[in-house]
Amino acid sequence: MAQKPSIPKGTRDFSPAEVNRRNYIFDTIKKHFQVFGFQPIETPSFENSETLMGKYGDEGDRLIFKILESGEYLEKAKAKAVFIDKRGLTYLNDLLRGIFQRIRKDLREECSENFTGDEKFTNMKKVSKYLKNNIWSILNQSPEIAYLSHLEELIGSYFRYSSIQIAIKIVNRSSFFENDTAFQNFRLVEQREIQEDLLDRLEEHFLLNATTPQITSLISEKALRYDLTVPFARYVVMHQNEIDFPFKRYQIQPVWRADRPQKGRFREFYQCDADVVGANSLLQEVELIQLYDAVFTDLKLDGVHIKLNNRKVLAGIAEIIGAKQLLVDFTVALDKLDKIGEEGVKKEMLEKGISEKSIAKAAPLFSLSGDTGEQLSILKALLKDSEQGLEGIEELEFIIDMVEQLGLQSAQLSLDFTLARGLNYYTGTIFEVSPPEGVKMGSIGGGGRYDDLTGIFGLKDVSGVGISFGLDRIYLVLEELNLFPKTLEQFIQVLCLNFGEKEALASLKLISTLRNSGIKADLYPTGAKIQKQFKYANNRNVPYVILLGDKELVENAFVVKNMANGEQKTFSIDSIEDFIASL
Amino acid sequence: MAQKPSIPKGTRDFSPAEVNRRNYIFDTIKKHFQVFGFQPIETPSFENSETLMGKYGDEGDRLIFKILESGEYLEKAKAKAVFIDKRGLTYLNDLLRGIFQRIRKDLREECSENFTGDEKFTNMKKVSKYLKNNIWSILNQSPEIAYLSHLEELIGSYFRYSSIQIAIKIVNRSSFFENDTAFQNFRLVEQREIQEDLLDRLEEHFLLNATTPQITSLISEKALRYDLTVPFARYVVMHQNEIDFPFKRYQIQPVWRADRPQKGRFREFYQCDADVVGANSLLQEVELIQLYDAVFTDLKLDGVHIKLNNRKVLAGIAEIIGAKQLLVDFTVALDKLDKIGEEGVKKEMLEKGISEKSIAKAAPLFSLSGDTGEQLSILKALLKDSEQGLEGIEELEFIIDMVEQLGLQSAQLSLDFTLARGLNYYTGTIFEVSPPEGVKMGSIGGGGRYDDLTGIFGLKDVSGVGISFGLDRIYLVLEELNLFPKTLEQFIQVLCLNFGEKEALASLKLISTLRNSGIKADLYPTGAKIQKQFKYANNRNVPYVILLGDKELVENAFVVKNMANGEQKTFSIDSIEDFIASL
C-alpha cells in the first residue's frame, strides 16, 4: 500500500525558491562573519545527553529531542535497571535476614509440630496474615528505606503477593520451627529463591514505575543539539589546546526543540551565531554592533534598531527598587510605558509588590528622553550609589562613544533599559535587534556577554560575547518588504530547446561551452512539443531560450530568444563568445 | 562538578580549517550542480518513521536513528499498549467463560460440600493443579490464539501464578459447586476481577515482553533521515503539483546511520545528491557524466575513472549463466580477474555453484579488452539472445557515443561489467567513480537510474536518475594529493595590532574601510604585548600585519608588514586605496 506522505509537525520542506532565498541570507551573514575575522566551526547534530541536559533549565531539558539507543536497547536498559538497583541488594539481604529472624521468633510459639488438617489450614492463613503485617512493620522501622522508596514498595508488594505461598511453604515444612539448623537451611534456600525472584521484579518494577526521565536515561544517551552556545562551549573546552585565543568563531547550523509548533516557531531551525571567547575588551561589543550594521545594510534592510543594555545597570536598578526578585516585574512593566503611560506602569508595579518608595526612587526612568548621552546622564545620577550600576553605565558609554566615532551605515543604536533578555545568562552587555519601524515582528537578532561560558565544562574564567541572527524572522521581514533580489528566482539563465537527437547533441556542445563559462544552462531533456518546452521555460523564469533546429544545424548557428521581450537574435556557433558577452 | 566533555562516537567536530576545506568541496559541487540546471531543495532532518522504515531492508531499519517522543511518552506508550491489546479483550472474555464452564463441569464431581480440614487442604491443591493443566489445554485448543501469542502467554502465566489464589477462593466458596446461580454470581464477580487484573497485566506484559521494534513504535514516531533519496521521493510526491517536471534537484545535507563507527565511516555525514526525475532520456546520463567530469576537473582531481554498467546487461549475463541468484557471486568473482587470474576466477565460480557450462558460455567476459567499443561488440555477441541484455548494450552505446562526441575534460569513462552497485535498486544505468590511479580509496561517487522512485509513496511511473558525491572520501583524496588551495588556510588577510585605546579606534576606522571593501580584516582585541600579538598573527597565517601606533597616529599613517618576507611599507590613512590595491 502506498503511503500518503507527510512530514513531522514543526518541520519544513524548502523548495528551490525558498532554499535560494535562505541561502541569500546565510551567504550574506557568512560573508560578513568572515570579513570580521570570525572562523567557522561545525559540531555534531547530536551530543552526549549529559553535555546538554541541565544547561537550559527544566523546561529546556523537556524540549531537548532525545535519540533512542540503537540495537537491542531494551535488553541493555533492563540490565542497566538491575544494575542501578543492585546498590539496594546488600540492603535487601539485611532486610530479609531481619524478616526471617522475626518470623522464626514470633511464629515458634504459635505453631507446633503436629497439625490436624483444619489447624494446618488455619495456621496457614494466620502465617499469611502475620507476614503481611510484620513485614510492613519491619520495613517501616528502617530509616534507610526512605532513600530507596521504590524498593520498599517493591518488597512490600512482593510479600503481600507472595505471603500465601511463603505461608504454604512454612506450613509444609513445619520442621522449620524445630531447630536452628533446619531454620538456617530453610532461610538460605528461601532467601536465595526470593532474592532471585526479587531481582527479576526489581527489573520489572523499575521499568514499569520509573519516571520518564529515569527511563529516558536508560534508553537514550544522545540528544539533538538545542542551541549552538552549549556545543560551542563544549568545543572550546575539548579543543582548548588547538585554539589560538581570542577565538572568534561563527557557526551556522540547525538546532532542534520539541516546542509546541506554532506560527513562526519550528522544531527544526537554523541558528547563526558569532561569538568571541577569551577577550574581555569592550571593543568586541563595538565590532558586533558594526557586524549587525554591515549584515543588515547588505541585506538592504535599512533602519534596524540595535538596542543596548547592560546586566550591571539592571543590577543597579534592582538595588534601587530594593528587590532583586522584582527586577523582571519592574522591567516588564516599564517596557509598557509607551502603551499604558506612566500611571499605568506605576499601577502595575504596585500590583506586583514594588513599593511606592521604590517607584518614586526609580521615577527618572519614566522620563528618559533625549539622545543616548542624555539618557545615560539621567541614569548615572540615579545609580550614583550603585558601584555595579555605574560600571554598567561606563561600559555603555564606552561602546556608544566608539560606535558614534566609527559611524554606522544604516542601523540605529539606542539604549533600552527594559531589555532583560537572558537575564540569568548574560553578565554584561545585552543586545537586541528590532526590524525597521512599521514591520510587526519581534527581535531579529540578539546576544550579549557572559563572563563564564566554559565553566560548566571545567575551563574557568573564559569570557565570551556573541550575537545571533534570527534567520526565519529575517526571511519573513525581507519577504514582507520585498527585499529579496529578483535574480534569486532565476535558476537557469539559458534553456536550449530539444528538437531531436542530432540537434540535442549540437545543443549539448553549446551548453558545455556555456557551462564552462559559469553560465547556468540546460537542455530540455526530451523532444517534447515545442509549446510544452516553452511553457517549461516560462514556469522556470528562464530569461533566454536557445533554438537550435535542423535549419540552424545546417547553418552552424543558433537562435536566442529573449523571453522578456520576445526578441530573437541569431549567433554563429563559432562566435558563441558574442552571446556570452551579451548576457 | 565540571564534566569532562566528549562527543558521541562516530561524530566529529570540524575545526575552522576543516570547515573551510569541506566548504571548498561543497561549494565546487554546488556551483556545478547549479550550472547544470539543478535546483536545491532541503528536507527536515527527521521524517515520520513510517516514511523511512522498510525502505532500506532490515539492516537499514536497524541503522536508522529513532527519536524519542518528547514529554510524558511513557504514559502515552502504556495507554497505546493497552489499546493495542484491547482488540484481544472480547476474545479474552470468551476464553474466561470457557475456562469457568470447564471448571464448573469438571470440578463438580470432585468436590463435595462438606470438607474436613485435611480434605480442604488436599482439594485446594488438587484444584490448583487442575486449573494449571486445564487452562493450558483450553488455551491450546483455540486456533485464534496463535495471532495473539503474547496474550496466550500472559493468560497462561496469570493463571499459573494465580491458580493457588483461585483455588483458595473456590475452596472457600464451596457452595459455588452447589447450584447454577451461585456459580453464575461467582463467575461474574471473579471474571470482572480477573479481567481488570489482566488489563493491568496486559499493559505490564506488553511493556516488558514486547520486542524492541514493538516498543520503539510506541515511544518513537520520528527518525533521523538515513539518506537523501527516500526524503526526495517523499518530497516529489508531496509537492508534485508545485513541481515542473522534469525536475532536476540537488540536495546537500547530513544523514545519520547507527553504523558501527570505523575509519572513514561516521554516524553523521553529508550526502551530495543530484537527481533528475520525470525524464526517461539517456541524455540525463550523458549530462551526469559531464557533471562528474566538471566537478572533479574543477577540484583539480584529474584522472578519476567514471565506470559505467547497466542493470539490463547484468540481467542478460544472468540469463547466460543460467541463474539469476548466482549473478552477485558471478560478478564478485569476475571482479577479481586482475588479482587471481582467469583460472582463479573460474575456480571461485565453480565453488559458488556456477556450472562449467555456464562459465564456458560466459568465457568472452574473461578476455574483454580494447576500448569501450570493442568491449561492447564482444558483449553484444555474447548477449545476442537476450533481449534485455541487448537493450542494455544499446543504452551504453548511446551514452558512450554521446560522451565521446562531447568530450570530457579530465575524467576517464570506462565500462565495468562487474559493477553491481545497488543491484536491487537500479534498473538501468549504474555509475561509479574511482579516484585517480595510485590513490587507495574506494569509490568517491556513484549513482544510477531507477524506474520507479516515487512508487512507494503512491506516484507511479516516475523514472529517476541520479548521482552522489562522497564528500568524506573526496576530502581524504584531496588531502592525500595535497590539492586543497593554500588560500583556504587564510582566515584573515589583515591583522591590526592593538597599541591602546586611541590607536585601536584609528585602527578600527581603518579596518571598517577594509571590511567594506570585502577584505577580511581584524583588530587584535586587547593591548597585549606586541610579541604575543605577532605570534597570534603567525599562528593564524595572516599575510599582512598593520601597525598603527602613536607615531603613526600623529602622522595619519599606518605601517604594513608583509609577514612572508618581513618587508614593511608605510601608507597614508587617506590613501588606504593604495594598500587595498596592493593586496
Side-chain angles (χ1 to χ4, degrees):
Chain A
M1 258 298 290
Q3 302 166 345
K4 195 175 171 188
S6 64
I7 53 175
K9 60 179 179 177
T11 68
R12 293 166 287 174
D13 279 332
F14 295 108
S15 72
E18 287 165 329
V19 173
N20 264 13
R21 274 181 242 133
R22 287 165 62 87
N23 282 346
Y24 164 70
I25 302 173
F26 284 134
D27 291 344
T28 305
I29 294 172
K30 218 184 282 182
K31 182 177 93 190
H32 292 283
F33 280 171
Q34 288 171 2
V35 154
F36 273 73
F38 287 86
Q39 303 179 70
I41 68 160
E42 287 180 14
T43 60
S45 296
F46 45 75
E47 297 272 351
N48 292 323
S49 294
E50 67 255 32
T51 300
L52 305 184
M53 298 299 280
K55 309 298 190 298
Y56 308 102
D58 287 348
E59 179 61 7
D61 278 359
R62 262 195 297 278
L63 299 184
I64 291 172
F65 277 114
K66 284 95 186 171
I67 294 173
L68 255 182
E69 281 306 280
S70 40
E72 286 298 318
Y73 64 89
L74 276 184
E75 289 313 307
K76 283 186 236 158
K78 285 178 186 173
K80 274 193 260 179
V82 169
F83 180 79
I84 287 171
D85 275 318
K86 270 193 180 153
R87 65 194 155 86
L89 208 56
T90 323
Y91 181 63
L92 183 66
N93 277 328
D94 292 346
L95 262 183
L96 287 176
R97 199 174 309 129
I99 289 166
F100 281 105
Q101 292 287 4
R102 292 281 286 264
I103 289 173
R104 183 192 172 214
K105 184 175 165 293
D106 296 343
L107 287 191
R108 209 164 208 173
E109 298 102 57
E110 297 196 29
C111 304
S112 83
E113 197 182 4
N114 304 305
F115 298 109
T116 64
D118 264 338
E119 282 164 345
K120 268 187 189 169
F121 193 64
T122 310
N123 279 342
M124 190 199 75
K125 289 202 278 183
K126 213 188 256 173
V127 170
S128 166
K129 198 179 164 200
Y130 178 88
L131 279 169
K132 274 187 208 174
N133 297 335
N134 282 279
I135 283 159
W136 277 113
S137 69
I138 294 167
L139 289 176
N140 288 336
Q141 279 160 28
S142 170
E144 298 96 325
I145 207 81
Y147 99 96
L148 274 174
S149 65
H150 82 263
L151 193 63
E152 175 191 42
E153 263 180 51
L154 175 68
I155 295 168
S157 71
Y158 177 78
F159 279 108
R160 262 199 304 274
Y161 205 79
S162 308
S163 55
I164 291 174
Q165 290 181 66
I166 293 177
I168 293 171
K169 283 185 183 175
I170 291 172
V171 171
N172 282 343
R173 303 196 196 186
S174 44
S175 64
F176 156 64
F177 301 106
E178 297 292 280
N179 61 64
D180 276 357
T181 319
F183 171 68
Q184 205 69 23
N185 289 340
F186 172 83
R187 216 180 72 186
L188 286 174
V189 173
E190 293 297 283
Q191 207 165 325
R192 203 173 309 122
E193 267 179 29
I194 292 174
Q195 189 178 311
E196 273 168 23
D197 197 12
L198 265 173
L199 257 188
D200 282 351
R201 281 151 182 282
L202 273 169
E203 180 187 308
E204 290 192 9
H205 176 89
F206 190 85
L207 283 181
L208 291 170
N209 297 290
T211 60
T212 301
Q214 281 176 320
I215 287 286
T216 302
S217 72
L218 287 179
I219 61 178
S220 163
E221 293 176 349
K222 293 184 284 287
L224 290 174
R225 85 181 143 237
Y226 179 86
D227 74 354
L228 301 178
T229 306
V230 169
F232 174 49
R234 195 263 311 140
Y235 179 96
V236 169
V237 177
M238 258 181 84
H239 301 275
Q240 51 185 294
N241 297 325
E242 309 148 29
I243 294 173
D244 295 306
F245 292 97
F247 182 42
K248 297 174 81 168
R249 90 85 172 76
Y250 76 85
Q251 193 169 355
I252 299 180
Q253 291 193 282
V255 301
W256 296 268
R257 297 185 183 178
D259 248 326
R260 192 174 296 277
Q262 53 186 65
K263 196 170 177 292
R265 191 193 282 170
F266 303 100
R267 295 188 144 190
E268 173 175 40
F269 59 97
Y270 269 76
Q271 288 194 335
C272 314
D273 284 13
D275 293 79
V276 191
V277 286
N280 289 311
S281 159
L282 291 171
L283 290 175
Q284 304 311 320
E285 272 87 339
V286 174
E287 280 209 328
L288 291 172
I289 291 167
Q290 288 187 299
L291 179 52
Y292 268 139
D293 179 48
V295 168
F296 288 118
T297 301
D298 205 357
L299 290 173
K300 312 279 183 292
L301 190 60
D302 291 352
V304 302
H305 290 265
I306 304 172
K307 295 184 287 183
L308 209 57
N309 197 6
N310 193 299
R311 180 72 181 82
K312 294 167 190 168
V313 170
L314 286 171
I317 294 174
E319 277 182 45
I320 281 179
I321 63 169
K324 226 178 174 173
Q325 71 280 11
L326 293 174
L327 181 58
V328 173
D329 290 329
F330 182 87
T331 54
V332 166
L334 189 57
D335 197 30
K336 298 180 185 161
L337 196 57
D338 285 349
K339 284 185 211 146
I340 59 177
E342 192 172 328
E343 285 316 305
V345 169
K346 282 183 180 166
K347 196 175 154 231
E348 182 171 326
M349 287 180 176
L350 281 170
E351 282 167 10
K352 293 285 181 183
I354 300 164
S355 71
E356 291 225 31
K357 207 175 135 197
S358 295
I359 296 173
K361 264 194 183 173
L365 287 173
F366 296 114
S367 49
L368 275 181
S369 66
D371 62 20
T372 51
E374 286 163 334
Q375 290 179 37
L376 282 173
S377 312
I378 293 168
L379 204 69
K380 208 171 190 170
L382 184 71
L383 297 180
K384 63 182 187 299
D385 297 326
S386 162
E387 196 184 330
Q388 221 189 349
L390 289 177
E391 202 180 303
I393 298 283
E394 213 170 284
E395 292 186 9
L396 288 170
E397 278 176 339
F398 177 86
I399 295 166
I400 288 168
D401 179 49
M402 286 294 271
V403 172
E404 267 170 15
Q405 291 197 56
L406 290 164
L408 293 178
Q409 299 175 67
S410 75
Q412 293 176 26
L413 184 66
S414 59
L415 288 169
D416 184 350
F417 297 116
T418 65
L419 193 63
R421 187 190 170 87
L423 192 62
N424 300 315
Y425 189 62
Y426 295 126
T427 51
T429 310
I430 304 172
F431 300 109
E432 196 170 276
V433 184
S434 306
E437 254 142 69
V439 180
K440 270 187 193 151
M441 181 71 71
S443 68
I444 54 177
R449 182 176 284 274
Y450 29 88
D451 276 341
D452 186 19
L453 173 66
T454 55
I456 36 169
F457 299 114
L459 185 63
K460 296 285 175 199
D461 300 324
V462 176
S463 176
V465 58
I467 57 171
S468 188
F469 288 83
L471 176 89
D472 287 309
R473 287 185 172 175
I474 295 172
Y475 185 102
L476 292 172
V477 171
L478 294 188
E479 200 169 46
E480 183 179 334
L481 300 178
N482 206 14
L483 290 175
F484 283 113
K486 287 285 160 289
T487 50
L488 294 179
E489 287 160 34
Q490 216 177 76
F491 290 96
I492 37 179
Q493 295 157 275
V494 179
L495 181 75
C496 283
L497 300 195
N498 192 328
F499 290 93
E501 205 168 296
K502 255 191 239 160
E503 294 86 350
L505 175 62
S507 294
L508 274 180
K509 283 182 183 167
L510 201 66
I511 287 169
S512 292
T513 311
L514 293 173
R515 287 175 176 168
N516 288 340
S517 308
I519 292 160
K520 295 177 201 165
D522 211 351
L523 172 73
Y524 192 87
T526 61
K529 279 187 184 154
I530 293 306
Q531 224 168 350
K532 191 180 171 191
Q533 299 190 36
F534 265 118
K535 193 174 166 235
Y536 178 83
N538 268 325
N539 286 347
R540 293 196 56 198
N541 288 313
V542 179
Y544 297 100
V545 165
I546 285 184
L547 300 102
L548 203 168
D550 49 357
K551 179 167 162 282
E552 288 78 19
L553 200 56
V554 173
E555 293 166 357
N556 198 39
F558 62 97
V559 174
V560 176
K561 179 170 182 175
N562 181 326
M563 295 293 282
N565 56 24
E567 274 176 20
Q568 296 202 168
K569 208 172 160 186
T570 304
F571 291 86
S572 160
I573 286 182
D574 298 329
S575 50
I576 185 171
E577 309 77 38
D578 294 347
F579 169 60
I580 294 174
S582 79
L583 282 176
Chain B
M1 259 297 291
Q3 302 167 345
K4 199 179 167 187
S6 64
I7 54 175
K9 59 179 180 178
T11 68
R12 294 166 287 175
D13 279 332
F14 295 110
S15 70
E18 287 166 330
V19 173
N20 264 11
R21 276 182 241 132
R22 287 164 61 88
N23 282 345
Y24 164 69
I25 303 173
F26 284 134
D27 290 345
T28 305
I29 294 172
K30 218 185 283 181
K31 181 177 94 190
H32 292 283
F33 280 172
Q34 288 170 3
V35 154
F36 274 73
F38 288 86
Q39 303 180 68
I41 68 158
E42 287 181 13
T43 61
S45 296
F46 46 74
E47 296 272 351
N48 292 325
S49 294
E50 68 254 33
T51 300
L52 305 183
M53 298 298 282
K55 309 299 189 297
Y56 309 101
D58 287 348
E59 179 61 6
D61 278 358
R62 264 195 296 278
L63 299 185
I64 291 173
F65 277 115
K66 285 96 187 169
I67 294 172
L68 256 181
E69 281 305 280
S70 40
E72 286 298 319
Y73 64 87
L74 276 183
E75 288 314 308
K76 282 186 237 160
K78 285 178 187 174
K80 275 193 259 181
V82 168
F83 179 80
I84 287 171
D85 275 317
K86 269 193 182 153
R87 64 195 155 87
L89 209 56
T90 323
Y91 182 62
L92 184 68
N93 277 328
D94 291 347
L95 263 183
L96 286 175
R97 200 174 308 130
I99 289 166
F100 280 105
Q101 293 287 4
R102 292 283 284 263
I103 289 172
R104 181 190 174 218
K105 182 173 166 292
D106 297 342
L107 286 189
R108 209 165 209 176
E109 298 102 58
E110 296 194 32
C111 304
S112 83
E113 196 183 4
N114 304 304
F115 297 109
T116 64
D118 265 337
E119 282 165 346
K120 268 187 189 168
F121 193 64
T122 311
N123 280 341
M124 191 198 75
K125 289 202 280 183
K126 215 190 254 174
V127 171
S128 164
K129 199 180 164 200
Y130 177 88
L131 279 169
K132 276 187 208 174
N133 297 335
N134 282 278
I135 282 159
W136 276 112
S137 69
I138 293 168
L139 288 176
N140 288 336
Q141 279 162 26
S142 169
E144 297 96 323
I145 208 79
Y147 100 95
L148 275 174
S149 65
H150 81 262
L151 193 63
E152 175 189 41
E153 264 180 50
L154 174 68
I155 294 167
S157 72
Y158 178 78
F159 280 107
R160 261 198 306 274
Y161 206 80
S162 307
S163 55
I164 292 175
Q165 290 182 64
I166 293 177
I168 292 172
K169 283 186 181 173
I170 290 173
V171 171
N172 281 343
R173 303 198 193 184
S174 43
S175 63
F176 155 64
F177 300 104
E178 297 291 280
N179 60 64
D180 275 358
T181 316
F183 169 71
Q184 206 69 22
N185 289 340
F186 172 82
R187 214 180 72 185
L188 287 175
V189 173
E190 294 297 283
Q191 207 166 326
R192 202 171 310 121
E193 267 177 32
I194 292 174
Q195 189 179 310
E196 271 167 26
D197 197 12
L198 265 173
L199 256 190
D200 282 351
R201 279 151 183 282
L202 272 169
E203 179 188 308
E204 290 192 10
H205 176 89
F206 190 85
L207 283 180
L208 291 170
N209 297 290
T211 60
T212 300
Q214 283 176 318
I215 287 286
T216 302
S217 72
L218 286 180
I219 61 177
S220 163
E221 293 176 349
K222 293 183 284 287
L224 289 174
R225 86 182 142 236
Y226 180 84
D227 74 354
L228 301 179
T229 306
V230 169
F232 174 48
R234 195 263 311 139
Y235 179 96
V236 168
V237 177
M238 257 181 83
H239 301 275
Q240 50 185 295
N241 297 326
E242 309 148 31
I243 294 173
D244 296 306
F245 292 98
F247 182 42
K248 297 174 80 169
R249 91 83 171 78
Y250 76 85
Q251 193 169 356
I252 300 180
Q253 291 193 281
V255 302
W256 296 268
R257 297 184 183 179
D259 247 327
R260 193 173 293 278
Q262 54 187 62
K263 197 171 175 293
R265 192 192 284 171
F266 303 99
R267 295 189 144 190
E268 173 175 40
F269 59 97
Y270 268 78
Q271 288 194 334
C272 314
D273 284 13
D275 293 79
V276 191
V277 286
N280 290 311
S281 159
L282 291 170
L283 291 176
Q284 305 310 321
E285 272 88 338
V286 174
E287 280 209 327
L288 291 172
I289 291 167
Q290 288 187 301
L291 179 54
Y292 267 138
D293 179 49
V295 168
F296 289 117
T297 302
D298 204 357
L299 290 172
K300 313 278 183 292
L301 191 60
D302 291 352
V304 300
H305 290 266
I306 304 172
K307 295 184 288 184
L308 209 57
N309 197 6
N310 192 299
R311 179 73 181 83
K312 294 168 189 167
V313 171
L314 286 171
I317 294 174
E319 279 182 43
I320 283 180
I321 63 169
K324 224 177 178 176
Q325 72 280 12
L326 293 173
L327 180 59
V328 173
D329 291 330
F330 182 87
T331 53
V332 166
L334 189 58
D335 196 31
K336 298 180 184 160
L337 198 58
D338 284 348
K339 284 185 211 146
I340 60 177
E342 190 170 329
E343 285 318 303
V345 169
K346 282 183 180 167
K347 197 175 152 230
E348 182 171 323
M349 286 179 174
L350 281 170
E351 282 167 10
K352 292 287 180 184
I354 299 163
S355 72
E356 290 225 34
K357 206 176 136 197
S358 295
I359 297 173
K361 262 193 182 171
L365 286 174
F366 297 112
S367 48
L368 275 182
S369 66
D371 61 20
T372 51
E374 288 164 333
Q375 290 179 35
L376 282 173
S377 312
I378 294 169
L379 204 69
K380 208 171 193 170
L382 184 71
L383 297 181
K384 62 182 187 300
D385 297 326
S386 162
E387 194 183 332
Q388 219 188 352
L390 290 176
E391 201 180 304
I393 298 282
E394 213 170 284
E395 292 186 10
L396 288 171
E397 278 176 339
F398 177 85
I399 295 166
I400 288 167
D401 179 51
M402 286 294 271
V403 171
E404 268 170 14
Q405 291 196 59
L406 290 164
L408 292 179
Q409 300 175 67
S410 74
Q412 294 176 26
L413 184 66
S414 59
L415 288 169
D416 183 350
F417 298 116
T418 66
L419 191 63
R421 185 190 173 88
L423 193 60
N424 300 316
Y425 189 63
Y426 295 125
T427 51
T429 311
I430 304 172
F431 301 110
E432 195 170 276
V433 184
S434 306
E437 254 141 70
V439 180
K440 271 186 192 152
M441 180 70 72
S443 67
I444 53 177
R449 182 175 283 275
Y450 28 89
D451 278 340
D452 187 19
L453 173 66
T454 54
I456 35 170
F457 298 114
L459 184 64
K460 296 285 176 203
D461 300 322
V462 177
S463 176
V465 57
I467 57 172
S468 188
F469 288 83
L471 175 89
D472 288 309
R473 286 185 173 176
I474 295 172
Y475 186 102
L476 291 172
V477 172
L478 295 187
E479 199 169 47
E480 183 179 334
L481 300 177
N482 206 13
L483 290 175
F484 283 113
K486 286 286 159 289
T487 49
L488 293 179
E489 288 159 34
Q490 217 177 75
F491 290 95
I492 36 179
Q493 295 157 275
V494 179
L495 180 76
C496 282
L497 301 196
N498 191 326
F499 291 94
E501 204 169 297
K502 254 191 240 161
E503 295 86 349
L505 175 61
S507 294
L508 274 179
K509 284 182 181 165
L510 202 66
I511 288 168
S512 293
T513 311
L514 293 172
R515 287 175 176 167
N516 287 341
S517 308
I519 292 160
K520 295 176 199 164
D522 211 351
L523 172 73
Y524 193 87
T526 61
K529 280 189 183 153
I530 293 306
Q531 226 168 348
K532 192 180 168 191
Q533 299 191 36
F534 266 119
K535 194 175 165 232
Y536 177 85
N538 268 323
N539 286 347
R540 293 197 55 198
N541 289 314
V542 179
Y544 297 100
V545 164
I546 286 183
L547 300 102
L548 202 166
D550 49 357
K551 183 170 158 280
E552 287 77 19
L553 200 55
V554 174
E555 294 168 356
N556 197 38
F558 62 97
V559 174
V560 176
K561 180 171 179 173
N562 181 325
M563 296 293 281
N565 56 24
E567 274 176 20
Q568 297 201 166
K569 208 173 161 184
T570 305
F571 292 86
S572 160
I573 286 182
D574 299 329
S575 49
I576 186 170
E577 310 75 38
D578 295 349
F579 168 60
I580 294 173
S582 79
L583 282 175

